[in-house]
Amino acid sequence: MALLQVEKLTQRFGGLEAVSEFKTRLEGGELNGLIGPNGAGKTTIFNLVSGFYQPTAGKIVFKGKDTAGLKPHQVTALGVARTFQNIRLWHDMTVLDNIRVAQHFRLNYGLLACTLRTPHYIESEKAVTTEAFEILEALNLKQYAMELPRNLPYGLRRKVEIARAMSEKPDLLMLDEPAAGLNTADLHGLIDLIRWIHKEFKITIWMIEHQMQVVMSLCQWIQVIDFGAIIAEGNPEEIQNNPDVIKAYLGDDKI
Amino acid sequence: MIEGLIQNVLNALQWGSFYSLIALGYCLVYGVLLLINFAHGDIFMVGAYLAFFVASFFLGLGGLTGWAVLVLTVPLTMILTSMVGVTLERVAYRPLRRKGAHRLYVVITALMCGLILENGNLALLGASRRNFPTLVDTVIYNVGGVSVTNLKVAVIVVAILSFLLLEFVISRTKIGMAMRAISYDRFALPLMGIPPDTVIVFTFILGSSFAGLAGLLFAMSYPVLDPYMGAMIGWKAFIAAVVGGIGEIRGAFAGGFLLGFVEIMVVAFFPSTVRDLIAFTILLFILAMKPTGLFGVARHQKI
Amino acid sequence: MKRLNIPVVLAVLFVVLVWVSYEGVLNLYWQSVLMFMGINIILSTSLNLVNGNMGEFNCGHAGPMAVGAYVSSLLTVLLFAKDRVFGDPLLPPELVLIVFPFCLLAGMAAAAIVGLLVAIPSFKTRGDYLAIITIAANYIVKSTIENINAIGGARGFMGMGKVTSAMGKLINLPWMVIWIFLGTVFTVWVLRRFISSTYGKGINAICQDEIAAEIMSVNTNRMKTVAFMLSSALAGLAGGLFAHMLGYVNPGSFTVLKSTECLVMVYLGGMGSLSGAVMSAIFYTLMLEGLRFVIPWLDSALHFLHLIPASYEVSQVWKWVIIPLVLVLLMHRRPEGIMGNRELSDVFPKLTKWYQFK
C-alpha cells in the first residue's frame, strides 16, 4: 500500500484552474521535491493534500484512506504534518506551547478531566510535554523552549516550525519552502537538518522549494509543475537538463 | 384585497426608505474603512434633533411659511449632521487610524461613541420628548382604494433619488473612484497621489448627511423624538446593510427595503410586539445561509 | 506549602466576608456592592475566554445571562416558593440549600445552549459578522422573554426573595454572599484550569492563527463550541446569582447595554488575561458605585462655580456617558488594557514565590 497516492487532482477557483490533473505516488521513505515557477500551484497542492481545500476533482488517498471530506485536523491525525511558506507559528505562545498545541489531536481528555486534573489529564499532559522536549532536544532547540517565537531570529523560527511539525510524529512531512529567506549559513544548516531528519526518523519528506541548491542536493525525485500541471519529473540530473523546465523558469527568448 | 396588498407595499417602501438611507451610510463607511460605524444610527438621531432645533428656530422667527422653513431646514440639517459625522471621524477614529490600531479597537470606539451620543442627548436635553412641528400639511391621495400621503411619497422618492445620486458619485466621479480604490488597498492610495484622509472625510460627509436627511424625514413622518430612537433603527439598518452585502451600496439599498418589507408583512400577520423579534430572526437566517450577504462578495484568504 | 497559599487565603476571605455580613458590620449596601463585584467577575472572566483568549467579538453576553437568570429563577420559585404563576412549592424547604446549586446548574445548561447557537455560525464567520449575530441573538433572547407573558413578560418575574429567605430560615447565614463567593471562585478556578492546559491553549492558537491551528491538528470547530458554551454557561451562572440576589428579574436588565458593560470590563482588563479580567471587574464595580457619589458632588461643584445654569442638574445618566468615554480613552491611549495579555505573575514575577495558582 502506498503511503500517499494522488490521482487526477484538479482544483478550480471560479474560472481559474489552479491545479490540473496532478498525480503523484509516495511509497514511504522518499525525499521528493515539488518545484515550479511562482504561482504554479505548488502550495495549492499541499493545501489539498493536507485537507485545507476540498478538490474540485481527483482523489487523494493516504495510507489507504480517501481523504475526501476530511477536515485538516483529521488529515493531520492520520499522519500528515506540514510547514508553511510564511511561517505560521503562534507568536504569543512559547516555543514549548507551540509544540504542545500541535499535538492537540493526541490529547484525549475533555473539559471535565481538565478541571478536575484527573490522573488521565496529568498523564496526557506529561506525554505531550515529554514529546515536545524530546523533539526540541533532538533539533538543538531546548534552550529556546520558553522563548516567544517573535524574539527568535528568522532561521531559528523556521527550525521551530519544523520541530512543531515533527512533534506530530507524522508519516509524511510536507515542507513548504523551508529555505525561503534563509541566509547562506542557515541554508547549509537546513540542508543538513532535513537530511538528518530523513535518515534519523525514517519518514517521508515532500518538499516545495525554489532554491535549487536545496532541491538538487536533497531530493531523490522531483516533479516540476507549471500552470497547475506536471511538465516534467525525474531525478535531479534529468530535471536540470530538461528543456521544458528551463523554458518554464527562464522563458524561451533566444539570445 | 389587492388594494390592501398595494397599501402594505407602499407602507413597506416608505418604512424601508429610512432603513435604506441609513444603511447607505453604514455601507459607505464600511466600504472605505472596513469599519462598522456603530455610531451611525445615533447620527441619524442627532440629525432628527438638529432638524427639530433648526425648524423650531426658523418657525420662531416668524414670517416664514412652512414650506420656506422646510426648504431652509433640509440643507442645514444635512450640513450640520455631516459636521457631526466629520467631528466623530476626526476625534474618535482618525487617531486610531494614525496609530494603525487593530480594527477591533476602532469598532469598540464606534460602539462607545454611539452610547455617548445617546446618553449625552438624554443627559443634556432631559427625558422629555420633543415634538417635531408640522411644516407641511398632509395631503392624502386616493388612488383606487389605496390612500397615500404626500409625505410618504416624498420619502420614497427622496430615498430613490439619494441612491441614484450616490451611484452616480461612486461610479462616475473621481472621488467616487478614489473611494472604491481605498476599499481595495488603503496603503496604495497615497502612493497614487490621492490623500486618503480627504476621501475618508468625504465619505463621512456623504454618509452622515444622508443620515441627517433620513432623520428629518423620519421626524416629519413620526413627530415624536427620543434619544434612543437611533439605536434600534440604527441596528436594524445596519443588519439590513449586512444582509444586502455590506460594502455594496446596491446591496445596502436593497437590504433596507427588504427589511421594510419583512417588517410590514410580519406586522400584518403577527402581533406587533414580535415584529422586531421575527425581523431579527429572519435576517439571522439569511446571514447564516449566506454570510457575506445577498450581494456581497467573499474575500478569499490565501495561505 | 506554597501550594496551599491560595486556598488558605480564599478560605480566610470567605470566613471574613460571611462573618461581617452576618454580624452586620458590613451594611447591606456594601454587601450588595461586593456581591455585584462577584457577579461582574464571573461575567468579565467568562467573556474574556471568548473575546480575549479566542479573539472573537461576542457582543451579546447578556443573552445567556438572561437565560440562566430566568431558568434558575423559574425552577427555584417552582420548587420552593408559593407564587401566582406556579402555585404552591413542590419541595419542602429543608431541601432548598441542596437543590439550589442544581437550579443554578440547570440555568447554566440552558445558557450553554444559547452559546451553542452562537458557536455554530462562528465556524464560518468571524469579526464584524459574528458581532452582528451575537447582538441579534442577545436581542432575540430578550425579546422572546418579553413576549412570554406567562412568566411576566416585560414586567419581570419575582419570587426569588422567598427562596433566599427560606435559605436564611433554615440556617441563619448570609446565603447570597456565600453563593456568589462560591460561584466566583468556581468560575475563576474552572477558567484557569482550562486556559493553562494544552487543551485550552488550543483556543489561544485559534486566536493567533486559526488556519495554522486547524492544520496543526486543533479541532477548531470543537474548541469554538467548547469556548462559547463554557463562556455562556458561566454567564448563565452569573445571571442566576444576579436574579436571586435582587429577588426579581426583568428582561430590561439584559440588553445590549449590559453586554456593553461586559465588553468594557474585558477590554479594560486586557484581552486574554484572567487576572486582568478579575481586576477590571473589581475596578469597574467600584467605579460605578463611585460615580454614584461623584456625580452629585460634581453637580454641586459645577453649580457652585456657576459653570452650569441653576436649572440644570447633573443626573446619574451622565454615568452612561462617562463609562463609554472611559473606554474610548482606553482604546486611544492603552488599548491593551490594564494587563495587556499578561497575567499578574508575568508582571510581578516575584509573586510566584508566594503562591502556586494551579
Side-chain angles (χ1 to χ4, degrees):
Chain A
M1 182 179 63
L3 181 67
L4 176 70
Q5 195 159 331
V6 176
E7 279 163 25
K8 289 198 163 171
L9 189 63
T10 307
Q11 181 70 341
R12 263 175 240 121
F13 294 117
L16 171 72
E17 193 160 270
V19 176
S20 194
E21 307 233 330
F22 177 77
K23 67 172 179 46
T24 195
R25 190 186 164 94
L26 292 167
E27 296 295 335
E30 297 101 314
L31 210 181
N32 282 6
L34 183 65
I35 67 175
N38 274 322
K42 312 186 292 292
T43 302
T44 312
I45 292 173
F46 266 26
N47 288 343
L48 286 164
V49 173
S50 57
F52 187 63
Y53 295 147
Q54 295 298 324
T56 320
K59 215 156 88 136
I60 303 170
V61 179
F62 184 74
K63 288 207 286 206
K65 196 164 169 356
D66 191 347
T67 66
L70 287 185
K71 306 215 77 200
H73 69 266
Q74 291 170 307
V75 174
T76 307
L78 285 179
V80 181
R82 69 173 285 184
T83 63
F84 301 91
Q85 205 171 349
N86 304 317
I87 298 182
R88 284 187 167 248
L89 290 170
W90 297 301
H91 283 287
D92 283 319
M93 287 162 52
T94 61
V95 164
L96 180 65
D97 278 335
N98 263 275
I99 298 187
R100 285 198 287 204
V101 172
Q103 301 174 61
H104 215 254
F105 69 105
R106 243 183 249 133
L107 301 169
N108 50 7
Y109 60 81
L111 182 59
L112 193 62
C114 187
T115 312
L116 298 175
R117 295 287 205 254
T118 60
H120 201 55
Y121 162 83
I122 295 176
E123 223 179 281
S124 208
E125 286 284 319
K126 198 153 136 206
V128 159
T129 310
T130 315
E131 173 64 38
F133 273 115
E134 264 173 30
I135 197 75
L136 282 174
E137 175 95 49
L139 264 62
N140 245 323
L141 291 168
K142 194 156 162 202
Q143 65 268 43
Y144 303 110
M146 301 315 281
E147 279 291 346
L148 293 178
R150 67 168 111 95
N151 295 332
L152 294 177
Y154 188 80
L156 274 179
R157 275 189 248 166
R158 280 257 171 235
K159 228 171 146 185
V160 169
E161 231 203 357
I162 294 178
R164 185 174 70 164
M166 290 300 297
S167 72
E168 292 174 350
K169 292 222 185 61
D171 295 304
L172 171 63
L173 177 64
M174 305 203 298
L175 300 172
D176 196 343
E177 297 196 36
L182 291 183
N183 58 39
T184 331
D186 287 334
L187 205 60
H188 287 300
L190 180 78
I191 294 177
D192 291 334
L193 176 65
I194 296 179
R195 199 175 281 136
W196 177 78
I197 289 178
H198 185 228
K199 209 172 74 172
E200 184 74 18
F201 293 93
K202 298 191 182 37
I203 58 174
T204 314
I205 299 183
W206 196 17
M207 193 164 72
I208 293 177
E209 198 30 80
H210 269 303
Q211 308 224 19
M212 288 303 132
Q213 198 182 7
V214 179
V215 178
M216 298 303 164
S217 55
L218 283 175
C219 299
Q220 305 159 341
W221 182 260
I222 302 172
Q223 283 175 300
V224 188
I225 62 169
D226 194 12
F227 292 113
I230 304 176
I231 58 171
E233 43 188 354
N235 64 39
E237 223 175 282
E238 291 165 355
I239 293 297
Q240 270 175 320
N241 296 320
N242 187 311
D244 291 323
V245 175
I246 299 173
K247 182 167 127 189
Y249 272 100
L250 299 174
D252 62 350
D253 285 351
K254 311 251 185 310
I255 298 171
Chain B
M1 183 55 215
I2 193 86
E3 295 97 12
L5 194 64
I6 298 183
Q7 184 75 66
N8 271 327
V9 167
L10 279 168
N11 288 344
L13 280 176
Q14 183 240 18
W15 190 238
S17 298
F18 298 117
Y19 289 142
S20 293
L21 281 170
I22 303 173
L24 285 174
Y26 275 115
C27 182
L28 287 173
V29 172
Y30 189 83
V32 161
L33 281 178
L34 282 180
L35 161 73
I36 300 179
N37 184 11
F38 279 122
H40 193 62
D42 298 297
I43 293 186
F44 157 82
M45 176 269 290
V46 168
Y49 272 83
L50 283 172
F52 168 77
F53 285 117
V54 169
S56 308
F57 172 76
F58 281 118
L59 281 176
L61 287 182
L64 291 166
T65 62
W67 270 106
V69 173
L70 182 63
V71 167
L72 284 170
T73 310
V74 170
L76 264 176
T77 308
M78 289 176 76
I79 293 173
L80 287 173
T81 318
S82 59
M83 280 165 63
V84 172
V86 169
T87 313
L88 190 68
E89 193 276 320
R90 183 68 66 91
V91 167
Y93 304 146
R94 187 179 295 197
L96 290 175
R97 214 169 58 242
R98 286 271 178 280
K99 283 198 330 185
H102 197 274
R103 253 178 66 223
L104 180 66
Y105 302 143
V106 191
V107 173
I108 295 168
T109 306
L111 255 172
M112 295 302 117
C113 287
L115 285 178
I116 293 174
L117 285 174
E118 281 166 30
N119 293 301
N121 180 336
L122 185 63
L124 282 171
L125 298 177
S128 59
R129 305 259 172 100
R130 311 284 164 143
N131 272 305
F132 198 82
T134 328
L135 295 176
V136 176
D137 293 325
T138 344
V139 175
I140 306 183
Y141 302 111
N142 262 301
V143 181
V146 178
S147 69
V148 65
T149 65
N150 55 346
L151 188 55
K152 258 200 186 104
V153 174
V155 168
I156 300 173
V157 168
V158 166
I160 297 177
L161 285 177
S162 308
F163 169 69
L164 290 173
L165 177 69
L166 268 176
E167 262 286 289
F168 177 77
V169 166
I170 294 203
S171 44
R172 299 296 171 89
T173 62
K174 252 201 204 154
I175 189 122
M177 197 154 60
M179 282 166 68
R180 277 181 289 143
I182 252 193
S183 75
Y184 286 113
D185 193 332
R186 201 200 306 171
F187 299 108
L189 204 71
L191 297 175
M192 301 292 131
I194 309 172
D197 281 344
T198 316
V199 179
I200 291 171
V201 168
F202 183 74
T203 311
F204 270 85
I205 290 178
L206 269 186
S208 306
S209 51
F210 280 114
L213 181 61
L216 167 60
L217 289 171
F218 191 88
M220 285 170 70
S221 312
Y222 307 98
V224 180
L225 305 177
D226 90 271
Y228 291 110
M229 64 192 272
M232 187 40 76
I233 294 197
W235 279 121
K236 290 206 221 148
F238 167 60
I239 294 189
V242 167
V243 167
I246 201 160
E248 278 288 324
I249 65 162
R250 249 161 278 169
F253 197 64
F257 281 115
L258 178 67
L259 180 57
F261 268 98
V262 167
E263 291 203 341
I264 295 292
M265 291 307 159
V266 163
V267 171
F269 296 108
F270 293 97
S272 63
T273 47
V274 297
R275 176 192 67 193
D276 295 342
L277 179 58
I278 295 188
F280 267 90
T281 318
I282 293 179
L283 294 167
L284 215 62
F285 268 121
I286 296 181
L287 265 187
M289 295 300 132
K290 200 163 187 296
T292 49
L294 293 171
F295 292 86
V297 176
R299 287 178 190 236
H300 233 24
Q301 197 177 12
K302 230 179 169 302
I303 73 159
Chain C
M1 214 32 239
K2 201 166 80 159
R3 272 189 51 173
L4 294 177
N5 275 356
I6 285 209
V8 164
V9 166
L10 283 176
V12 168
L13 190 62
F14 178 65
V15 169
V16 166
L17 276 177
V18 171
W19 184 80
V20 297
S21 310
Y22 179 74
E23 289 294 331
V25 173
L26 210 58
N27 64 16
L28 279 173
Y29 170 72
W30 280 107
Q31 277 181 48
S32 72
V33 171
L34 284 174
M35 289 197 281
F36 269 119
M37 221 182 262
I39 290 174
N40 280 341
I41 291 177
I42 299 177
L43 286 172
S44 103
T45 51
S46 57
L47 184 60
N48 188 34
L49 181 66
V50 170
N51 281 21
N53 291 92
M54 203 157 76
E56 292 281 1
F57 197 18
N58 182 355
C59 302
H61 210 48
M65 186 186 176
V67 170
Y70 265 86
V71 169
S72 56
S73 303
L74 292 172
L75 266 178
T76 53
V77 168
L78 167 73
L79 294 175
F80 293 110
K82 187 178 159 117
D83 126 298
R84 282 175 308 123
V85 177
F86 292 120
D88 283 325
L90 288 179
L91 289 180
E94 293 79 49
L95 292 178
V96 77
L97 287 174
I98 304 174
V99 178
F100 181 66
F102 288 101
C103 296
L104 285 178
L105 227 63
M108 285 169 75
I113 295 178
V114 174
L116 182 64
L117 292 176
V118 176
I120 293 174
S122 80
F123 297 161
K124 294 224 191 77
T125 59
R126 268 196 88 96
D128 313 332
Y129 282 94
L130 193 67
I132 306 161
I133 292 177
T134 55
I135 291 168
N138 189 173
Y139 185 78
I140 288 174
V141 166
K142 172 195 170 250
S143 188
T144 310
I145 296 176
E146 268 175 350
N147 278 298
I148 304 179
N149 278 312
I151 56 172
R155 286 163 292 127
F157 180 75
M158 48 190 205
M160 289 76 85
K162 298 192 193 132
V163 178
T164 38
S165 51
M167 289 186 219
K169 283 201 197 96
L170 208 55
I171 301 177
N172 188 6
L173 280 178
W175 280 106
M176 280 325 293
V177 173
I178 295 176
W179 292 122
I180 291 181
F181 184 85
L182 291 176
T184 311
V185 170
F186 173 74
T187 302
V188 176
W189 182 65
V190 170
L191 286 172
R192 167 68 190 183
R193 292 212 154 174
F194 182 54
I195 298 289
S196 57
S197 71
T198 304
Y199 186 61
K201 288 194 181 130
I203 300 220
N204 291 320
I206 293 178
C207 172
Q208 291 168 35
D209 193 330
E210 185 172 342
I211 292 175
E214 175 70 38
I215 294 183
M216 301 312 280
S217 90
V218 176
N219 185 346
T220 52
N221 287 356
R222 182 161 65 116
M223 294 315 295
K224 283 182 185 176
T225 311
V226 169
F228 273 105
M229 285 180 80
L230 179 60
S231 165
S232 300
L234 291 171
L237 174 64
L241 291 169
F242 175 74
H244 285 87
M245 175 189 135
L246 290 181
Y248 72 93
V249 65
N250 85 337
S253 320
F254 304 109
T255 59
V256 167
L257 206 61
K258 186 87 198 155
S259 299
T260 307
E261 285 187 71
C262 300
L263 285 177
V264 171
M265 288 190 278
V266 168
Y267 294 119
L268 182 62
M271 295 169 31
S273 168
L274 189 61
S275 40
V278 172
M279 293 194 316
S280 71
I282 295 175
F283 175 75
Y284 179 79
T285 317
L286 291 174
M287 179 172 78
L288 218 58
E289 289 308 313
L291 281 176
R292 203 193 287 271
F293 299 108
V294 167
I295 286 182
W297 176 85
L298 195 66
D299 187 47
S300 347
L302 286 175
H303 276 125
F304 181 72
L305 294 172
H306 296 292
L307 283 172
I308 53 176
S311 57
Y312 183 75
E313 191 212 320
V314 179
S315 67
Q316 289 292 325
V317 179
W318 279 99
K319 207 159 61 173
W320 296 111
V321 177
I322 295 177
I323 291 171
L325 198 59
V326 164
L327 195 57
V328 171
L329 286 170
L330 194 69
M331 288 295 118
H332 280 217
R333 302 273 161 218
R334 195 181 163 79
E336 64 275 18
I338 303 177
M339 297 295 290
N341 63 352
R342 302 166 298 171
E343 297 289 346
L344 206 56
S345 51
D346 298 325
V347 178
F348 299 115
K350 297 252 182 70
L351 273 184
T352 50
K353 276 204 295 196
W354 296 93
Y355 75 89
Q356 192 182 18
F357 193 16
K358 274 278 169 260

